[in-house]
Amino acid sequence: MPSLTFLGATGTVTGSKYLLEASGERLLIDCGLFQGRKELRLRNWSPLPVDPAGIHWVVLTHAHLDHTGYIPRLVKEGFHGRVWASPATVDLSSLTLPDSGHLQEEDARYANKKGFSKHKPALPLYTHDEAVRSLELFSVADGKEPLELSSHFKLRFIRAGHILGARMVEVTVTEAGKSVKVLFTGDIGRFPQLIIREPAVPDAVDYLVCESTYGDRLHPTDDFHARMAGIVESTAGRGGSVIIPSFAIGRTQELLYLFRKLISQNQMHELPIHVDSPMAIDATDLYRKHHEDHNLEADEFESEGHRLFAQPNVHFDRSVEASKALNECRYPTVIISASGMATGGRVLHHLVRCLPDHHNTILFVGFQAPGTRGHSIQTGAETVKIHGQQVPVRAHVETIGNLSAHADYSEITRWLAKFPAPPRKTFLTHGEPHAAEALQQRIVEKLQWTVAVPSYLDKIALG
Ligand SMILES: [Zn+2]
């Protein structure tokens, strides 16, 4: 009988990995890094509970590292099959995986310098070059036709919203003449979302593996467009600048889109907007290239063509010199820079310069995990340590929480209600325990479905 094993994203939002087995063949759905708590991160270093050389294929839902970041390690440990993903996910992974390898190397170097690693010398999980080599195994699945991997596994890709290239993966598993359909949602986008088209209506399936990141929360519904314009206008009125620590993929492009809209509607002055992050600039190019995923009106896109994100007031600062030149800027400016939680990257230089001055605003537009510098600033720290020095926080601090790329519980439940028939069983993953359990309760109450919250390494027979 075919089986499904949960190798990650149980009791946590990271490490997504689901193993399907049938007739001695193995398909891994997503191959994510564990992030956050130490006991989770240690799993990246333990041998995978299944021999990587015995996995025949990997299929990816989208390019975020908690769904793809383990691939170079899987390859290092012996995997030599194909990695299937949508066109945009393949392109985005060619940015994110080498960057992840680079960060792994930097972490190892830092641990060696500080001498706090048990392992001497501390080694990276994988290097930049190993990540680049792993990309050779990637193949594009354009999603137009079902993809038949073998007589036991057939894949269909369904639009998931969330970020560019994100797809749900429907797998038809056939063994001994019997077939079952399993749908893996990956991360589910919003209804609607600023740029990316909303998740597609699903077909009936036998089993559903569904995310639950916001299983216990609703997103704010206030008019954040007006609030965004208000924050920028009042900061500029004081003669200050707005610094936005932002994720490079998705959030940066949504901000550019939103600012363009606010300016064209005369809600905001045409201030200079700087995108100071090479990865955000590369990702913006990919948003231009892959308009199959856009939510934008066709003629709005056609009429503006490649100028979609490139308005006259928007500057893309790829070089280090251009980034440094921003330090000399004496007029109100908006600077969008990574990393999104101010844990590293070019945004730190802007924070050192702008945090001590009460004219400026630091604007958070994404989730700030406890323990990060972004979280400290957001929750009222008087000083934060950056590059070894204590920097006073005198700038205004604002948060706009409406730009999440994950459906909240009401959006997920509304999407589930569109299934033509209930799945035989639904598994909730990719959520903290309280979020997954809250969503389980809601689905049972609202839809009377059979819902389980699996644990790490649970193996289910798909009868
Ligand atoms: Zn994601």
Side-chain angles (χ1 to χ4, degrees):
M1 196 181 283
S3 67
L4 165 64
T5 310
F6 295 90
L7 299 177
T10 49
T12 166
V13 296
T14 69
S16 280
K17 286 182 209 82
Y18 312 108
L19 184 72
L20 277 176
E21 294 177 85
S23 295
E25 290 182 337
R26 292 181 193 86
L27 166 66
L28 189 66
I29 292 91
D30 279 343
C31 189
L33 270 186
F34 285 102
Q35 297 162 319
R37 296 195 303 275
K38 190 172 178 190
E39 76 265 23
L40 291 175
R41 280 184 285 121
L42 285 175
R43 284 189 195 157
N44 295 325
W45 292 91
S46 320
L48 198 70
V50 53
D51 178 12
I55 296 173
H56 297 75
W57 312 273
V58 176
V59 58
L60 302 175
T61 59
H62 65 289
H64 279 149
L65 286 177
D66 58 323
H67 295 257
T68 62
Y70 190 76
I71 287 175
R73 183 75 184 186
L74 192 78
V75 174
K76 199 170 167 165
E77 302 284 312
F79 171 75
H80 52 271
R82 301 307 303 174
V83 179
W84 290 96
S86 74
T89 298
V90 172
D91 278 351
L92 286 169
S93 299
S94 71
L95 301 180
T96 52
L97 291 181
D99 185 67
S100 170
H102 172 73
L103 291 176
Q104 301 283 348
E105 288 184 77
E106 274 197 342
D107 285 353
R109 255 197 299 275
Y110 186 71
N112 286 325
K113 200 169 113 195
K114 295 280 175 185
F116 61 57
S117 170
K118 278 196 303 215
H119 308 280
K120 300 217 168 17
L123 296 170
L125 194 61
Y126 52 84
T127 64
H128 169 273
D129 291 358
E130 286 166 339
V132 169
R133 279 200 295 280
S134 74
L135 294 169
E136 290 168 11
L137 300 179
F138 277 59
S139 290
V140 171
D142 66 12
K144 289 180 185 137
E145 298 290 330
L147 175 64
E148 196 152 347
L149 297 176
S150 74
S151 56
H152 305 113
F153 291 104
K154 194 164 80 177
L155 310 181
R156 238 166 44 90
F157 294 85
I158 296 155
R159 206 173 58 239
H162 189 54
I163 62 163
L164 193 76
R167 299 287 182 270
M168 302 186 190
V169 181
E170 183 198 274
V171 189
T172 305
V173 192
T174 307
E175 196 177 86
K178 268 184 69 182
S179 294
V180 285
K181 267 188 194 173
V182 193
L183 180 67
F184 297 85
T185 66
D187 293 354
I188 306 176
R190 306 286 309 277
F191 298 83
Q193 205 167 309
L194 273 186
I195 296 176
I196 296 296
R197 294 165 72 195
E198 67 180 37
V201 176
D203 282 347
V205 294
D206 299 295
Y207 297 94
L208 174 66
V209 178
C210 179
E211 73 129 323
S212 59
T213 316
Y214 283 83
D216 58 347
R217 277 171 290 167
L218 290 173
H219 296 307
T221 53
D222 60 322
D223 181 2
F224 71 98
H225 291 212
R227 207 150 64 79
M228 175 71 90
I231 290 167
V232 174
E233 285 295 297
S234 59
T235 307
R238 294 192 296 269
S241 289
V242 180
I243 309 298
I244 311 181
S246 171
F247 303 109
I249 298 172
R251 198 58 41 87
T252 296
Q253 293 75 29
E254 288 179 338
L255 288 170
L256 291 178
Y257 178 70
L258 182 56
F259 283 134
R260 170 177 147 240
K261 206 166 172 182
L262 294 173
I263 291 167
S264 71
Q265 293 169 347
N266 294 321
Q267 293 194 59
M268 185 182 131
H269 284 93
E270 196 168 354
L271 296 180
I273 297 172
H274 288 268
V275 179
D276 184 18
S277 150
M279 195 190 294
I281 297 169
D282 289 337
T284 305
D285 287 340
L286 292 179
Y287 268 72
R288 289 193 191 108
K289 177 179 165 190
H290 291 283
H291 34 103
E292 68 270 18
D293 282 359
H294 283 201
N295 199 21
L296 308 174
E297 299 291 321
D299 43 23
E300 183 184 9
F301 183 74
E302 290 302 320
S303 62
E304 301 211 12
H306 66 278
R307 298 205 313 119
L308 184 61
F309 297 108
Q311 302 302 298
N313 62 318
V314 177
H315 308 273
F316 293 95
D317 301 313
R318 189 181 288 276
S319 70
V320 174
E321 294 72 43
S323 174
K324 283 188 177 156
L326 289 176
N327 291 333
E328 308 306 320
C329 211
R330 292 289 165 260
Y331 42 82
T333 309
V334 175
I335 298 175
I336 304 169
S337 187
S339 74
M341 299 192 204
T343 49
R346 290 184 180 180
V347 76
L348 295 185
H349 298 282
H350 301 301
L351 290 176
V352 167
R353 181 170 60 91
C354 293
L355 273 173
D357 184 344
H358 67 273
H359 294 92
N360 300 319
T361 298
I362 314 302
L363 172 58
F364 292 102
V365 292
F367 176 72
Q368 304 297 310
T372 60
R373 214 177 261 117
H375 187 260
S376 303
I377 298 170
Q378 191 183 40
T379 52
E382 286 179 11
T383 62
V384 283
K385 199 170 178 183
I386 303 177
H387 298 147
Q389 67 180 99
Q390 290 294 344
V391 180
V393 181
R394 296 195 198 98
H396 293 237
V397 176
E398 301 277 0
T399 296
I400 289 185
N402 311 54
L403 285 164
S404 169
H406 283 272
D408 63 20
Y409 70 71
S410 83
E411 290 169 309
I412 293 179
T413 320
R414 261 165 39 215
W415 179 75
L416 293 176
K418 295 178 187 169
F419 273 83
R424 275 146 71 183
K425 196 161 188 178
T426 297
F427 300 97
L428 296 179
T429 58
H430 201 288
E432 294 295 324
H434 50 88
E437 283 155 23
L439 186 60
Q440 179 187 32
Q441 232 174 32
R442 174 164 289 266
I443 299 171
V444 170
E445 268 166 31
K446 290 245 169 199
L447 304 171
Q448 290 84 45
W449 288 13
T450 307
V451 186
V453 178
S455 302
Y456 184 51
L457 301 184
D458 276 0
K459 185 170 181 173
I460 313 290
L462 303 176

